Amino acid sequence: MPRSLEDAPTTVPVRLGERSYDIAVADGGWDALPAFLKPALERSWAGRGCLKALILTDDHVAKLPYPGLVARALGSLGIEATTSVVPHGEASKGLATAAGLYEELVATAADRHTLVVAVGGGVIGDLGGFVAATFARGLPLLMVPTTLLAQVDSSVGGKVGVNLPKVKNIVGSFHQPIAVWIDVASLNDLPDRELRCGLAEVVKYGVILDAAFFDSLEADAEAILGRRPESLRRIVARSCELKADVVSKDEREETGLRAVLNFGHTIGHAVEATAGYGGAFQHGEAVAVGMVAESRLAERLGWVGRDFTTRLTRLLDRFGLPTSIAGLDPGPLLESMARDKKNQGGRIRLVLPRRMGHVELTDAAETADLKNLLDDLCGPAPL
Amino acid sequence: MPRSLEDAPTTVPVRLGERSYDIAVADGGWDALPAFLKPALERSWAGRGCLKALILTDDHVAKLPYPGLVARALGSLGIEATTSVVPHGEASKGLATAAGLYEELVATAADRHTLVVAVGGGVIGDLGGFVAATFARGLPLLMVPTTLLAQVDSSVGGKVGVNLPKVKNIVGSFHQPIAVWIDVASLNDLPDRELRCGLAEVVKYGVILDAAFFDSLEADAEAILGRRPESLRRIVARSCELKADVVSKDEREETGLRAVLNFGHTIGHAVEATAGYGGAFQHGEAVAVGMVAESRLAERLGWVGRDFTTRLTRLLDRFGLPTSIAGLDPGPLLESMARDKKNQGGRIRLVLPRRMGHVELTDAAETADLKNLLDDLCGPAPL
């Protein structure tokens, strides 16, 4: 069936030398997947001999059409796919589930050319990516993220991994996919709260890298919340582009450049850890309150004016995201921040805004200032 | 204490772009380890901030002085080491042991700069390397191989991994160490049979890449078996050099060039798998009989003369290695070869010699020829 030009997926290149790949952002249009995937397979050493695939998904996504659409596209390329379904949720992202998937790969006589396809949210992408990274020292990987958070965040950058019982994401590696296929129509199946969580990361990209993008989110907020396909495609493609640009300059998180992506996450992670994972704050919600709190800190350092935080808070509010940590206990928050991976020489480091579209990694905040800030923010909200 | 020039370790560079590293081949001389390790740490992003180390070893090697010598050298560089001891043997090379080591790293508050040091044979190197590759998406790794097989084979090339219950080495990745420290004095503690197994791989390097090296092994056989330090240093350093050269041209085993290292291994792996791992044939012994059998096949294809196999057999004999598969069942051997990773398009591929110092990857042997060969070799030896 011929398709009009408007229906063709938007393509975002991720430039990583010999590990470069493309992200397709489509609205439906699954007929285009084989033509998108074929050159990606041919570019990759492992993809070239691909005859088999393992599609990994969870029991929620398994009820949706996406795993079947992937299998059909693979079939048209002569690739025979088997599908493996794991329970949804964070508990599946561990070594035990990975071990089970290794055994399935052995049982299907997988070789170094077997394609792993991760169809689902962040858990499926991270878990499937880790299995692909470590089976036979690396299988080709196709990411098909179906949540907004996975589309704009975890599907770009090659970070894959699983949790230990007490530490999230601590076992893993960097493993770039050969391609990413995003269908924004999958966002129609997403609960409101999950859509909002993805929007927190989208807002973050505007703040850290692109003032015009932030403007456009304010202007387009209604259409985004109304899940208008053109708006969703635009924000997903631009978010991927912005993240891809950062990742291409610091693939393995070694130069400090990739740290800008951590805006909102230093306090955000502390909130998430303190309030308990999967508890009061989901990841995107913790990032939202983290961005507001870190913006307040930037105010105290004289980096931005009060109007900056007001504007940020207003957009997050409009997206239905929390913006306050009033009522939390400041002590454990500070302790958690003191363990942040970015810290150096015993000083807490954060990524703070200088102006819209620009942030900097800094250790300028004294621990006493941080404590004061958290005391103020955790206290009862002013009337 | 000043050391004479003869005592300085031989250095073998492994050229892998930004992942390049040096192998030091020493005879004792542990006082030189800090000066060797310091620049290696400073060259590596993760090594630069190193303050802590986890030394991994097994319960056999833990009784020898090497883990303590490593800890002392690290201490002199201001690096605090804890030591983790796992049971010796292949059973430790699995996901369960890896999971325990991850927990130890968490318990010692390891970060991305924590050095992992693998002190032992192939099991320890592969396991420690895998943990280093996957904890926090990659920790710096120092290899201190103490068996001949680990020194000339698994410590060069970056292949790390663990076994699944039914498949060896199937979970893993490529993770290059920041440095390798080899003390040939550790070979004095090695049982004869383990020394011989390492010599099979040493002989292989001569056959596949360096005719003069093969000559020198014939000339120097007595001194090698007598574990003369100069001889051991020479064969270890040259073996590392030869393997490093191959690995630097095909780091991730993608171009086929690295396949030359597989001489003796196609039939060798089949013998190992058929006779049962850890059974009648240890890995080096299986490689020895594999080399002889593959040399016989090269004879039948007219690639080498009968004298070639005779010469190879004589040297292996002299090193106390087996050279015959008489008495094995040829059927399962052929089935096992049919599953070899090198095969393409349903044809069995082997690496066969053309002349001393040169081998080629080929699918020239018909399955019927292979069957005939195995029938002949597995039959009773002629009087």
Side-chain angles (χ1 to χ4, degrees):
Chain A
M1 196 166 42
R3 306 189 58 82
S4 72
L5 205 59
E6 290 95 78
D7 285 330
T10 313
T11 302
V12 178
V14 184
R15 292 188 180 85
L16 291 164
E18 58 184 14
R19 289 180 298 285
S20 295
Y21 62 94
D22 285 334
I23 302 172
V25 184
D27 170 29
W30 284 76
D31 292 347
L33 176 53
F36 170 71
L37 188 55
K38 196 159 185 269
L41 286 165
E42 277 160 10
R43 265 196 308 273
S44 120
W45 171 83
R48 265 196 294 281
C50 177
L51 294 171
K52 278 189 240 185
L54 181 79
I55 298 174
L56 175 67
T57 194
D58 69 30
D59 52 4
H60 277 177
V61 181
K63 293 175 194 139
L64 302 174
Y66 312 110
L69 287 165
V70 170
R72 199 177 66 179
L74 293 173
S76 79
L77 294 171
I79 299 170
E80 196 190 339
T82 53
T83 301
S84 186
V85 181
V86 300
H88 68 277
E90 198 75 22
S92 282
K93 202 175 121 180
L95 286 168
T97 317
L101 294 169
Y102 294 141
E103 294 293 352
E104 281 195 46
L105 284 164
V106 169
T108 58
D111 62 19
R112 292 175 67 194
H113 303 281
T114 298
L115 181 70
V116 173
V117 191
V119 186
V123 165
I124 292 298
D126 287 1
L127 171 68
F130 180 69
V131 168
T134 49
F135 190 86
R137 297 197 180 84
L139 303 183
L141 171 68
L142 168 67
M143 293 281 214
V144 184
T146 59
T147 67
L148 183 58
L149 191 58
Q151 289 172 357
V152 300
D153 186 12
S154 52
S155 72
V156 190
K159 281 190 180 181
V160 297
V162 295
N163 306 326
L164 290 181
K166 275 182 261 172
V167 193
K168 278 183 81 169
N169 295 322
I170 191 69
V171 175
S173 61
F174 290 93
H175 187 63
Q176 301 297 344
I178 61 163
V180 179
W181 175 264
I182 295 175
D183 177 7
V184 295
S186 67
L187 302 182
N188 290 323
D189 301 303
L190 213 59
D192 279 343
R193 190 176 180 186
E194 277 202 58
L195 186 80
R196 283 184 212 130
C197 281
L199 287 173
E201 296 283 351
V202 172
V203 169
K204 183 194 77 178
Y205 291 118
V207 176
I208 66 174
L209 292 164
D210 187 347
F213 184 50
F214 191 92
D215 295 346
S216 80
L217 294 174
E218 292 177 319
D220 208 25
E222 281 320 301
I224 293 166
L225 287 168
R227 309 193 189 197
R228 283 253 309 268
E230 318 85 81
S231 298
L232 293 176
R233 275 178 72 163
R234 188 180 62 76
I235 65 169
V236 168
R238 184 62 185 149
S239 296
C240 288
E241 225 166 45
L242 290 166
K243 180 160 183 187
D245 188 49
V246 171
V247 167
S248 70
K249 288 172 186 151
D250 183 17
E251 185 181 359
R252 297 179 73 95
E253 213 164 32
E254 295 180 347
T255 68
L257 216 157
R258 197 162 166 163
V260 298
L261 300 171
N262 248 255
F263 172 58
H265 283 65
T266 316
I267 295 182
H269 279 152
V271 167
E272 224 179 334
T274 306
Y277 288 110
F281 290 92
Q282 289 201 355
H283 178 71
E285 294 162 347
V287 169
V289 298
M291 287 194 288
V292 173
E294 292 176 13
S295 181
R296 289 267 174 248
L297 184 63
E299 275 180 42
R300 294 192 180 193
L301 294 173
W303 284 27
V304 294
R306 177 141 218 173
D307 54 320
F308 185 95
T309 316
T310 306
R311 196 180 162 200
L312 173 59
T313 307
R314 197 172 291 149
L315 181 58
L316 294 171
D317 261 345
R318 211 153 150 212
F319 282 151
L321 284 158
T323 55
S324 162
I325 53 173
L328 291 189
D329 187 349
L333 286 181
L334 196 62
E335 280 164 35
S336 176
M337 288 173 69
R339 288 192 298 267
D340 192 275
K341 277 186 290 189
K342 292 187 298 302
N343 298 343
Q344 248 177 23
R347 287 185 75 88
I348 292 177
R349 299 207 300 174
L350 295 106
V351 173
L352 298 181
R354 281 277 188 193
R355 59 180 183 275
M356 191 54 75
H358 183 79
V359 289
E360 287 173 22
L361 180 63
T362 180
D363 66 356
E366 297 293 334
T367 304
D369 299 339
L370 271 168
K371 192 177 172 320
N372 274 336
L373 175 85
L374 294 174
D375 283 343
D376 291 352
L377 295 178
C378 292
L383 289 182
Chain B
M1 194 166 46
R3 303 190 61 81
S4 73
L5 206 59
E6 292 94 78
D7 284 329
T10 313
T11 302
V12 178
V14 184
R15 292 186 179 86
L16 291 164
E18 57 185 14
R19 291 180 297 285
S20 295
Y21 62 93
D22 286 334
I23 302 171
V25 185
D27 170 29
W30 285 76
D31 292 347
L33 176 53
F36 170 71
L37 188 55
K38 197 159 185 270
L41 287 165
E42 277 160 11
R43 266 196 307 273
S44 120
W45 171 83
R48 264 196 293 283
C50 177
L51 293 171
K52 276 188 244 188
L54 181 79
I55 298 173
L56 176 67
T57 194
D58 70 30
D59 53 3
H60 277 177
V61 180
K63 292 175 197 141
L64 303 174
Y66 311 110
L69 286 165
V70 170
R72 197 177 67 178
L74 293 174
S76 79
L77 294 171
I79 298 170
E80 196 190 339
T82 53
T83 300
S84 186
V85 181
V86 300
H88 67 276
E90 199 73 24
S92 281
K93 201 175 121 179
L95 286 168
T97 317
L101 294 168
Y102 294 141
E103 294 292 352
E104 281 195 48
L105 284 164
V106 169
T108 58
D111 63 20
R112 293 176 64 195
H113 303 281
T114 299
L115 181 70
V116 173
V117 191
V119 186
V123 164
I124 292 298
D126 286 1
L127 172 68
F130 180 69
V131 168
T134 49
F135 190 86
R137 297 199 181 83
L139 302 182
L141 171 68
L142 168 66
M143 294 283 214
V144 184
T146 58
T147 67
L148 184 57
L149 191 58
Q151 289 173 356
V152 300
D153 186 12
S154 52
S155 72
V156 189
K159 282 191 181 182
V160 297
V162 295
N163 305 327
L164 290 181
K166 276 181 263 173
V167 194
K168 276 183 83 169
N169 294 323
I170 191 71
V171 175
S173 60
F174 291 93
H175 188 63
Q176 301 296 343
I178 62 164
V180 179
W181 176 264
I182 295 175
D183 176 7
V184 296
S186 66
L187 302 181
N188 290 324
D189 300 303
L190 214 58
D192 279 342
R193 190 175 179 187
E194 279 202 56
L195 186 79
R196 284 184 212 129
C197 282
L199 287 173
E201 297 282 352
V202 172
V203 169
K204 183 193 77 177
Y205 291 118
V207 177
I208 66 174
L209 293 164
D210 187 346
F213 185 51
F214 191 93
D215 295 345
S216 80
L217 294 174
E218 293 177 319
D220 208 25
E222 282 320 300
I224 293 166
L225 287 168
R227 307 192 192 199
R228 284 254 306 270
E230 318 85 79
S231 298
L232 293 176
R233 275 179 72 162
R234 188 180 63 77
I235 64 169
V236 169
R238 184 62 186 150
S239 297
C240 289
E241 226 166 44
L242 290 166
K243 179 160 183 187
D245 189 49
V246 171
V247 167
S248 70
K249 289 173 186 152
D250 182 17
E251 185 182 359
R252 297 179 72 95
E253 213 164 34
E254 295 181 346
T255 67
L257 215 156
R258 196 161 166 162
V260 299
L261 299 171
N262 247 254
F263 172 58
H265 283 63
T266 316
I267 296 182
H269 280 151
V271 166
E272 224 179 334
T274 306
Y277 287 111
F281 290 92
Q282 290 201 355
H283 177 71
E285 293 162 347
V287 169
V289 297
M291 287 194 288
V292 173
E294 292 177 12
S295 181
R296 288 268 175 247
L297 183 62
E299 275 181 43
R300 293 191 181 194
L301 294 173
W303 284 26
V304 294
R306 177 141 220 173
D307 54 321
F308 186 95
T309 316
T310 306
R311 195 179 162 202
L312 172 60
T313 307
R314 197 171 294 148
L315 182 58
L316 294 171
D317 262 345
R318 213 155 150 209
F319 283 151
L321 284 158
T323 54
S324 160
I325 53 173
L328 290 189
D329 187 349
L333 286 181
L334 197 62
E335 280 165 35
S336 175
M337 288 173 68
R339 289 192 299 269
D340 192 274
K341 278 185 290 187
K342 292 188 296 302
N343 297 345
Q344 246 175 25
R347 286 184 74 89
I348 291 177
R349 299 207 300 173
L350 295 106
V351 173
L352 298 182
R354 281 276 187 194
R355 60 180 180 275
M356 191 53 74
H358 183 79
V359 289
E360 288 172 22
L361 179 63
T362 180
D363 65 357
E366 298 293 334
T367 305
D369 298 340
L370 271 167
K371 193 177 171 318
N372 274 337
L373 174 85
L374 293 174
D375 283 343
D376 291 352
L377 295 179
C378 292
L383 288 183

